[in-house]
Every structure is written in C-alpha cells, then in structure tokens.
Amino acid sequence: MTDFQTPYYRFSDYLKETFGEKVYRVPVDAGFSCPNRDGTKGIGGCIYCDSRGSAAPFVRRDRSVREQIEEGMRRVLKRYKTRKFIVYFQAFSNTYESPDVLEKIYSQVLGFGGMVGVAIATRPDCVDPLKLDVIQKVFEGMHVWMEYGLQSAHESSLAWMQRGHSVDAFKRAVAMTRAYPFRICAHIIFGLPGETPEMMLETVRFLARMGIDDLKIHMLHVLKGTRLARVYEQAPFKLLPMEEYISLICDALEILPPSVVIQRLTGDAPSENLVAPKWILKKQETLSEIREELIRRGTHQGAAWQRVPTTFQTEENKTWRVREEKHEL
Ligand code: SF4
C-alpha cells in the first residue's frame, strides 16, 4: 500500500500482495477490430490511434493467441525469473465480437501453467451482460481486469478525440461490470487540447466517485500516421511539458482513494513512431520525478481524497466508501 517510500499504490505492489510474487503481463493482439474504425461508430478511429490500435510493438497479429502467449512467456522468462503471468488483450477493442466468437478466442488462454489473470482492454460501449458472462465462465478462478477507455470525463474532449461514445457509456459499463467479480481499470489521457488542469482533475474525481479499482494515465502524444499527427503538423498545439505533467499527476494521486491501484503513469511509444513530445521516452526519469515530487510535497496518494465534501456523497460515493473499507480489512 501507499507509504512514503512508495507514495502511490503501484501495480507491481498489488500483484505481489495478491499473488505472493512478481507477475508479468503478456500482451496479445487477438485480431479484434473496433467499431470506431469499421464504420459502426466511425471510420478513422480515435484521433490519436495508430493502425496497430495500441498493440505492443513486438506482438504478432498474424499468429494465434496461443502462439503469442507462448512467445510472450518465453520472452519474459529470458529476462525475469517468474512463475506467474497475466494475459493482456491489448490491441483494439477486445470485446468487439459475438459472445460465441469471444469464447473461442478467450479459451486459447486456458491450459498455460502459471496464468493467474487476464486483462481485457475495450471500449465502454462494447460490453454487455452476455459478453461479461462469457468472460466470467471462461476465466473462472482467474483474476480478471476489465479495462475501459474513458480518456476524459468531458464530452467536449470525447468529441474532439472522435471517440464515438459518451461519458454515460462508461457509467453504464462500470455499473454492468460491478455485477461480476472483476476489477475495473479506467484509461485516461492528460494534456488534451482544450482541457485545463482543473478539467483533468475533474476526470480523476469522477473516477474516484465511480469506485474504479485501477487506473492508467498517460500523456497525450502524437504518433506518426495518425490523424492527430496531421492536425499537429498543420497547426501545432501545446503539449504538456514534463514538469507540468508531473505536477498534475501528483495532484491527481492526492485526490485518488489510496486503494486505487496505479497501473500506469506514463505512456509507451516506440521512438521511431513518436512525433511529440519526446520527453515521454524518458519513462524511468518521469516516474522517478513523480515520486520525488510527492516526497517534496510531503504527500502521497489519497492525501486529499477524504476532503471530498459530504454533500458529494451520492449513491456511487457510498459504494466507493464501502469498497474502501473492505479493501483495508
Ligand atoms: S477505441 Fe481504441 S482501438 Fe478503437 S479507434 Fe479508439 S483507440 Fe483505436
């Protein structure tokens, strides 16, 4: 948990507490598409999305999920001594198929020794109870993370990004998922043009009230070949400098409940594909500066979340408090 050596609740700490040892993710590209690319919701995809749909650079879409897992486990084992893994369905929208097809795809994860969990990244408008039933059935006995891309709690920003879904879609996905024994992870982006620091922190407060379990934050960055790259080239807009981003991340950590597991605080981008800002390539330096800044402030994750006014305690908020107590037991 949070302390002054580790002033926020790192994913690696959560995994160690839960599984008793280090656990590594194996990302796969299961060949899914996305309704924001195939014409159902849009054609060009979200403004920042490249043709690989957030896939890790080394995954091979032309291989089966089983082959990718085998390769991924070998890759991890070359570098680390570990016995436990999580499969990460990362690329595109990993629930964007019928329940029958999903069952076939997901079932390829079964039968690997040491596979303790599965993380499924998707859009909030791509889930329903039938799909969640399949996930529960296939991954029974495993840890499941449903990862929903919200990116911002502001409709104006969702429209700018051409996400093709609303904030309400995210609320519905979270409410639906609460009926299952899954953890809910939200993805958000800081530094969207038109968003003030206060707007970014409002997104974080919104997620705290929604009672999410895990959070991934990254800085808006421009990748080659995206529509965002064309926009940026024609009319460059301000991208947050590293210092501003670090300060905002620390503000965000302070207002998050201490039980929220922080899965990511910086983005990953292959240097050859990155247009700007180049500082996001300094991942370790950024993480270390965030830690240093929290220590300089004498603060930590959750330091301010108790200051949520009591008038703010809606039904959602009560749920969150109960969950908070449960976690600390
Ligand atoms: S929802 Fe995800 S995969 Fe689809 S276009 Fe947006 S970022 Fe890309």
Side-chain angles (χ1 to χ4, degrees):
M1 282 292 291
T2 312
D3 57 40
F4 280 92
Q5 277 72 49
T6 312
Y8 59 90
Y9 195 5
R10 295 179 308 180
F11 189 44
S12 55
D13 295 331
Y14 171 82
L15 292 174
K16 216 159 174 198
E17 283 165 21
T18 308
F19 299 106
E21 57 189 293
K22 286 195 170 180
V23 182
Y24 289 88
R25 269 186 291 223
V26 175
V28 294
D29 181 337
F32 287 102
S33 179
C34 170
N36 207 17
R37 287 187 159 272
D38 70 4
T40 306
K41 289 284 173 82
I43 291 176
C46 304
I47 196 165
Y48 52 79
C49 183
D50 67 3
S51 58
R52 293 178 52 83
S54 307
F58 47 80
V59 298
R60 297 278 307 267
R61 191 174 170 86
D62 56 338
R63 303 253 165 100
S64 72
V65 169
R66 282 198 79 79
E67 286 169 334
Q68 290 182 52
I69 295 172
E70 282 160 9
E71 275 175 29
M73 287 171 90
R74 272 200 297 274
R75 196 170 39 244
V76 170
L77 286 167
K78 258 191 206 165
R79 294 185 63 190
Y80 309 104
K81 268 193 175 167
T82 183
R83 295 177 302 174
K84 293 184 180 167
F85 303 88
I86 293 166
V87 170
Y88 182 24
F89 285 92
Q90 180 179 20
F92 297 96
S93 300
N94 291 278
T95 53
Y96 189 45
E97 273 296 352
S98 67
D100 288 352
V101 174
L102 289 179
E103 185 163 352
K104 283 196 189 100
I105 294 173
Y106 294 151
S107 296
Q108 295 182 62
V109 170
L110 304 178
F112 286 97
M115 198 59 75
V116 294
V118 59
I120 299 174
T122 193
R123 291 168 58 89
D125 57 355
C126 275
V127 284
D128 60 46
L130 289 178
K131 294 178 180 183
L132 293 172
D133 283 348
V134 166
I135 293 169
Q136 185 172 23
K137 183 175 126 193
V138 173
F139 299 118
E140 196 188 352
M142 290 168 76
H143 237 66
V144 175
W145 285 264
M146 290 306 300
E147 300 196 8
Y148 295 127
L150 169 66
Q151 318 309 357
S152 168
H154 302 281
E155 297 291 354
S156 56
S157 298
L158 296 183
W160 180 82
M161 284 180 272
Q162 292 157 13
R163 286 283 299 171
H165 68 74
S166 60
V167 177
D168 275 349
F170 178 83
K171 287 183 184 169
R172 278 195 296 275
V174 169
M176 217 183 287
T177 309
R178 279 283 165 243
Y180 297 81
F182 306 154
R183 289 183 69 87
I184 298 175
C185 177
H187 295 200
I188 59 171
I189 299 176
F190 274 4
L192 294 165
E195 286 209 358
T196 61
E198 187 47 35
M199 286 170 79
M200 296 175 223
L201 297 179
E202 269 174 33
T203 294
V204 175
R205 284 189 200 99
F206 165 78
L207 292 174
R209 292 200 302 279
M210 290 294 295
I212 56 144
D213 303 295
D214 298 60
L215 180 61
K216 289 185 175 179
I217 310 180
H218 75 73
M219 164 68 200
L220 180 70
H221 53 274
V222 184
L223 293 176
K224 286 181 188 161
T226 60
R227 284 186 294 142
L228 185 59
R230 289 197 290 281
V231 170
Y232 187 71
E233 204 175 289
Q234 282 160 15
F237 49 83
K238 182 189 168 186
L239 289 161
L240 289 181
M242 188 180 185
E243 304 68 37
E244 271 182 50
Y245 181 75
I246 287 168
S247 175
L248 270 164
I249 288 288
C250 293
D251 295 344
L253 289 170
E254 287 178 5
I255 59 180
L256 274 171
S259 60
V260 173
V261 174
I262 307 301
Q263 289 208 21
R264 181 179 68 202
L265 290 178
T266 58
D268 276 317
S271 59
E272 62 279 13
N273 290 352
L274 181 66
V275 177
K278 294 292 185 191
W279 65 258
I280 70 155
L281 297 172
K282 300 183 206 165
K283 190 170 176 178
Q284 285 315 318
E285 189 182 326
T286 308
L287 290 174
S288 133
E289 283 295 324
I290 289 168
R291 184 176 173 279
E292 292 304 314
E293 173 63 10
L294 286 167
I295 291 170
R296 254 194 306 273
R297 292 184 187 187
T299 187
H300 53 86
Q301 180 182 341
W305 80 273
Q306 295 90 341
R307 295 208 296 266
V308 174
T310 44
T311 49
F312 221 38
Q313 291 184 0
T314 59
E315 275 310 308
E316 282 168 1
N317 199 283
K318 279 179 202 156
T319 308
W320 160 39
R321 281 187 178 276
V322 170
R323 289 173 52 74
E324 192 65 24
E325 287 159 14
K326 210 167 140 196
H327 185 90
E328 285 171 2
L329 280 175

mmCIF file of all heavy atoms in Angstrom, residues 33-37 44-46 48-50 53-54 91-93 123 163, ligand 1:
data_model
loop_
_atom_site.group_PDB
_atom_site.id
_atom_site.type_symbol
_atom_site.label_atom_id
_atom_site.label_comp_id
_atom_site.label_asym_id
_atom_site.label_seq_id
_atom_site.Cartn_x
_atom_site.Cartn_y
_atom_site.Cartn_z
ATOM 1 N N SER A 33 -11.246 -5.925 -34.145
ATOM 2 C CA SER A 33 -11.320 -4.626 -34.796
ATOM 3 C C SER A 33 -11.861 -3.619 -33.770
ATOM 4 O O SER A 33 -11.724 -3.833 -32.561
ATOM 5 C CB SER A 33 -12.231 -4.717 -36.021
ATOM 6 O OG SER A 33 -12.317 -3.443 -36.627
ATOM 7 N N CYS A 34 -12.486 -2.593 -34.258
ATOM 8 C CA CYS A 34 -13.012 -1.571 -33.358
ATOM 9 C C CYS A 34 -14.182 -0.875 -34.061
ATOM 10 O O CYS A 34 -14.064 -0.552 -35.245
ATOM 11 C CB CYS A 34 -11.910 -0.565 -33.049
ATOM 12 S SG CYS A 34 -12.523 0.873 -32.178
ATOM 13 N N PRO A 35 -15.284 -0.652 -33.352
ATOM 14 C CA PRO A 35 -16.445 -0.006 -34.003
ATOM 15 C C PRO A 35 -16.154 1.422 -34.447
ATOM 16 O O PRO A 35 -16.884 1.991 -35.240
ATOM 17 C CB PRO A 35 -17.525 -0.036 -32.917
ATOM 18 C CG PRO A 35 -16.792 -0.206 -31.629
ATOM 19 C CD PRO A 35 -15.548 -0.973 -31.946
ATOM 20 N N ASN A 36 -15.065 1.975 -33.922
ATOM 21 C CA ASN A 36 -14.712 3.334 -34.312
ATOM 22 C C ASN A 36 -13.791 3.336 -35.533
ATOM 23 O O ASN A 36 -13.291 4.373 -35.938
ATOM 24 C CB ASN A 36 -14.017 4.036 -33.132
ATOM 25 C CG ASN A 36 -14.192 5.538 -33.180
ATOM 26 O OD1 ASN A 36 -15.062 6.037 -33.890
ATOM 27 N ND2 ASN A 36 -13.365 6.251 -32.445
ATOM 28 N N ARG A 37 -13.570 2.140 -36.084
ATOM 29 C CA ARG A 37 -12.730 2.028 -37.274
ATOM 30 C C ARG A 37 -13.476 1.362 -38.422
ATOM 31 O O ARG A 37 -13.200 1.636 -39.573
ATOM 32 C CB ARG A 37 -11.473 1.196 -36.959
ATOM 33 C CG ARG A 37 -10.494 1.949 -36.100
ATOM 34 C CD ARG A 37 -9.203 1.157 -35.946
ATOM 35 N NE ARG A 37 -8.133 2.051 -35.562
ATOM 36 C CZ ARG A 37 -7.374 2.707 -36.402
ATOM 37 N NH1 ARG A 37 -7.544 2.564 -37.695
ATOM 38 N NH2 ARG A 37 -6.429 3.514 -35.958
ATOM 39 N N GLY A 44 -12.187 6.549 -39.130
ATOM 40 C CA GLY A 44 -10.747 6.793 -38.934
ATOM 41 C C GLY A 44 -10.228 6.410 -37.564
ATOM 42 O O GLY A 44 -9.028 6.432 -37.316
ATOM 43 N N GLY A 45 -11.114 6.036 -36.643
ATOM 44 C CA GLY A 45 -10.655 5.729 -35.287
ATOM 45 C C GLY A 45 -10.492 6.993 -34.468
ATOM 46 O O GLY A 45 -10.690 8.113 -34.964
ATOM 47 N N CYS A 46 -10.133 6.832 -33.211
ATOM 48 C CA CYS A 46 -9.889 7.993 -32.347
ATOM 49 C C CYS A 46 -8.713 8.775 -32.943
ATOM 50 O O CYS A 46 -7.826 8.188 -33.566
ATOM 51 C CB CYS A 46 -9.546 7.540 -30.942
ATOM 52 S SG CYS A 46 -10.814 6.489 -30.241
ATOM 53 N N TYR A 48 -6.018 9.923 -32.035
ATOM 54 C CA TYR A 48 -4.623 9.606 -31.693
ATOM 55 C C TYR A 48 -4.253 8.150 -31.999
ATOM 56 O O TYR A 48 -3.116 7.744 -31.809
ATOM 57 C CB TYR A 48 -4.379 9.861 -30.191
ATOM 58 C CG TYR A 48 -5.403 9.153 -29.330
ATOM 59 C CD1 TYR A 48 -5.296 7.802 -29.056
ATOM 60 C CD2 TYR A 48 -6.509 9.846 -28.842
ATOM 61 C CE1 TYR A 48 -6.248 7.154 -28.311
ATOM 62 C CE2 TYR A 48 -7.475 9.200 -28.100
ATOM 63 C CZ TYR A 48 -7.337 7.856 -27.835
ATOM 64 O OH TYR A 48 -8.300 7.203 -27.119
ATOM 65 N N CYS A 49 -5.222 7.351 -32.452
ATOM 66 C CA CYS A 49 -4.996 5.905 -32.576
ATOM 67 C C CYS A 49 -4.235 5.583 -33.864
ATOM 68 O O CYS A 49 -4.588 6.068 -34.933
ATOM 69 C CB CYS A 49 -6.343 5.195 -32.570
ATOM 70 S SG CYS A 49 -6.214 3.402 -32.633
ATOM 71 N N ASP A 50 -3.191 4.769 -33.745
ATOM 72 C CA ASP A 50 -2.463 4.401 -34.960
ATOM 73 C C ASP A 50 -3.007 3.074 -35.503
ATOM 74 O O ASP A 50 -3.901 2.470 -34.922
ATOM 75 C CB ASP A 50 -0.951 4.348 -34.711
ATOM 76 C CG ASP A 50 -0.545 3.220 -33.779
ATOM 77 O OD1 ASP A 50 -1.420 2.443 -33.359
ATOM 78 O OD2 ASP A 50 0.648 3.132 -33.468
ATOM 79 N N GLY A 53 -3.612 0.017 -33.225
ATOM 80 C CA GLY A 53 -4.630 0.005 -32.163
ATOM 81 C C GLY A 53 -4.062 -0.218 -30.783
ATOM 82 O O GLY A 53 -4.602 -0.990 -29.988
ATOM 83 N N SER A 54 -2.960 0.464 -30.482
ATOM 84 C CA SER A 54 -2.301 0.398 -29.155
ATOM 85 C C SER A 54 -1.603 -0.931 -28.876
ATOM 86 O O SER A 54 -1.277 -1.236 -27.738
ATOM 87 C CB SER A 54 -3.279 0.666 -28.006
ATOM 88 O OG SER A 54 -3.948 1.861 -28.209
ATOM 89 N N ALA A 91 -4.676 -4.946 -27.950
ATOM 90 C CA ALA A 91 -4.862 -4.203 -29.202
ATOM 91 C C ALA A 91 -6.337 -4.069 -29.581
ATOM 92 O O ALA A 91 -7.118 -5.020 -29.467
ATOM 93 C CB ALA A 91 -4.113 -4.924 -30.321
ATOM 94 N N PHE A 92 -6.718 -2.898 -30.021
ATOM 95 C CA PHE A 92 -8.090 -2.609 -30.483
ATOM 96 C C PHE A 92 -9.114 -2.885 -29.356
ATOM 97 O O PHE A 92 -8.767 -2.729 -28.190
ATOM 98 C CB PHE A 92 -8.398 -3.376 -31.780
ATOM 99 C CG PHE A 92 -7.501 -2.936 -32.918
ATOM 100 C CD1 PHE A 92 -6.341 -3.626 -33.230
ATOM 101 C CD2 PHE A 92 -7.792 -1.791 -33.634
ATOM 102 C CE1 PHE A 92 -5.492 -3.208 -34.254
ATOM 103 C CE2 PHE A 92 -6.947 -1.355 -34.657
ATOM 104 C CZ PHE A 92 -5.806 -2.066 -34.953
ATOM 105 N N SER A 93 -10.332 -3.294 -29.755
ATOM 106 C CA SER A 93 -11.424 -3.427 -28.766
ATOM 107 C C SER A 93 -11.684 -4.907 -28.522
ATOM 108 O O SER A 93 -12.294 -5.581 -29.358
ATOM 109 C CB SER A 93 -12.692 -2.744 -29.287
ATOM 110 O OG SER A 93 -12.419 -1.382 -29.502
ATOM 111 N N ARG A 123 -13.601 -0.778 -25.340
ATOM 112 C CA ARG A 123 -14.365 0.464 -25.249
ATOM 113 C C ARG A 123 -15.549 0.241 -24.308
ATOM 114 O O ARG A 123 -16.109 -0.859 -24.272
ATOM 115 C CB ARG A 123 -14.928 0.829 -26.630
ATOM 116 C CG ARG A 123 -13.926 1.250 -27.645
ATOM 117 C CD ARG A 123 -14.567 1.285 -29.028
ATOM 118 N NE ARG A 123 -15.720 2.156 -29.124
ATOM 119 C CZ ARG A 123 -15.675 3.461 -29.434
ATOM 120 N NH1 ARG A 123 -14.509 4.022 -29.679
ATOM 121 N NH2 ARG A 123 -16.770 4.190 -29.505
ATOM 122 N N ARG A 163 -14.079 9.932 -30.167
ATOM 123 C CA ARG A 163 -14.162 8.628 -29.519
ATOM 124 C C ARG A 163 -15.415 7.856 -29.931
ATOM 125 O O ARG A 163 -15.436 6.638 -29.893
ATOM 126 C CB ARG A 163 -14.200 8.807 -27.987
ATOM 127 C CG ARG A 163 -12.894 9.196 -27.361
ATOM 128 C CD ARG A 163 -11.946 8.038 -27.241
ATOM 129 N NE ARG A 163 -12.458 6.953 -26.416
ATOM 130 C CZ ARG A 163 -11.846 5.758 -26.335
ATOM 131 N NH1 ARG A 163 -10.753 5.509 -27.000
ATOM 132 N NH2 ARG A 163 -12.360 4.818 -25.570
HETATM 133 S S1 SF4 B 1 -11.371 2.818 -29.425
HETATM 134 FE FE1 SF4 B 1 -9.255 2.128 -29.203
HETATM 135 S S2 SF4 B 1 -8.821 0.819 -30.979
HETATM 136 FE FE2 SF4 B 1 -10.708 1.969 -31.413
HETATM 137 S S3 SF4 B 1 -10.003 3.718 -32.603
HETATM 138 FE FE3 SF4 B 1 -10.114 4.350 -30.442
HETATM 139 S S4 SF4 B 1 -8.066 3.993 -29.574
HETATM 140 FE FE4 SF4 B 1 -8.209 2.883 -31.560
#
